[in-house]
Every structure is written in C-alpha cells, then in structure tokens.
Amino acid sequence: PPVSEPSPFHIQSNPALSDVDNQLKKTSYRQLQEFLKDKRFARAIALVEGLVYRIPTDPEVKQWQAIAYQQYARHFTNENQYSKAKIYLKKALRVDPHNRKLWSDIKEEFNRLEQTLLKRQG
C-alpha cells in the first residue's frame, strides 16, 4: 500500500510565524525526512511533537505528526506488534482528523492488520 509522506518539494512558509519559526520548520522538516527514511520513528515522533509544541497552529506540522504516527504504526504491523500499531493509527487520526488521504491510508492499514490477524488465527 502507498505510504503518505511529507512532500519533499514544497514546505509552506507560514506568514503567521516568525522568521525563526519558519526556519525551524524547514530545518525540522529535513530532519524528519531523514528520520523516517532511516526508520528512526521514535526520533521522528519526538522531533515532530516538539515542533507541534512550538508551532501548535501550523496545519502542515500537524500533518507531519500524523504521517510519523502512521509510518510508526506500519512498522509495528510489519513487526507483528498489532496493539502498538493500532495505538499509533488512532493517534494519527486524532492529530489530523480532516485529512481524507490519511483516513483512506489508515483504513487500508487497519484492513491489512485485520487480514494479518485473521490469517494468523486460521
């Protein structure tokens, strides 16, 4: 299944933010990309949660947080840690509840989880 990832092509500069916060956002985005690429999910989540604390009203930052949670959930699914996967899928939906693409991806992930559980039982 396709994985939602922050777009490497465009980071929105938020006019409501200071120059320092916009620069922090850009730098953090690059770090986040590296952490996710290297499957360093705990670091990615710590980074993005700190960014959300610093810039709580930026919708892109919230989206990145949801994506980090979603990718961590997928990692847990692949590691057969289904209860942890569910926790992070639910966190992703709570963080970015109006993102239709995210809902679609997470629905697929829940279906994948369910199918895997059914195969293991049967």
Side-chain angles (χ1 to χ4, degrees):
V3 175
S4 295
E5 293 183 9
S7 166
F9 304 110
H10 188 65
I11 300 170
Q12 300 247 336
S13 185
N14 185 336
L17 301 178
S18 69
D19 289 343
V20 170
D21 282 347
N22 270 310
Q23 187 57 47
L24 174 66
K25 183 179 166 184
K26 287 179 185 175
T27 303
S28 297
Y29 177 82
R30 285 191 289 274
Q31 283 182 305
L32 177 62
Q33 287 285 12
E34 287 301 310
F35 289 152
L36 293 175
K37 186 180 79 154
D38 296 341
K39 299 184 187 326
R40 295 169 63 191
F41 300 109
R43 293 289 299 267
I45 288 170
L47 172 73
V48 80
E49 285 178 348
L51 198 57
V52 166
Y53 183 79
R54 171 77 184 251
I55 312 171
T57 58
D58 190 291
E60 259 189 332
V61 171
K62 288 285 201 185
Q63 183 181 37
W64 301 346
Q65 183 181 22
I67 290 166
Y69 287 154
Q70 178 193 12
Q71 289 194 15
Y72 205 20
R74 179 161 291 149
H75 167 75
F76 283 129
T77 300
N78 293 338
E79 297 294 315
N80 300 323
Q81 297 182 42
Y82 306 114
S83 60
K84 288 181 183 178
K86 285 182 184 180
I87 289 167
Y88 280 94
L89 289 173
K90 289 176 183 176
K91 281 184 174 213
L93 290 176
R94 272 197 307 274
V95 166
D96 196 8
H98 304 293
N99 183 332
R100 289 178 189 249
K101 171 88 171 98
L102 179 70
W103 275 89
S104 173
D105 290 350
I106 287 179
K107 185 178 178 185
E108 283 181 33
E109 192 67 24
F110 269 120
N111 287 339
R112 184 173 156 234
L113 254 174
E114 203 172 281
Q115 293 302 317
T116 304
L117 288 172
L118 288 173
K119 285 179 188 172
R120 295 189 80 187
Q121 291 173 357

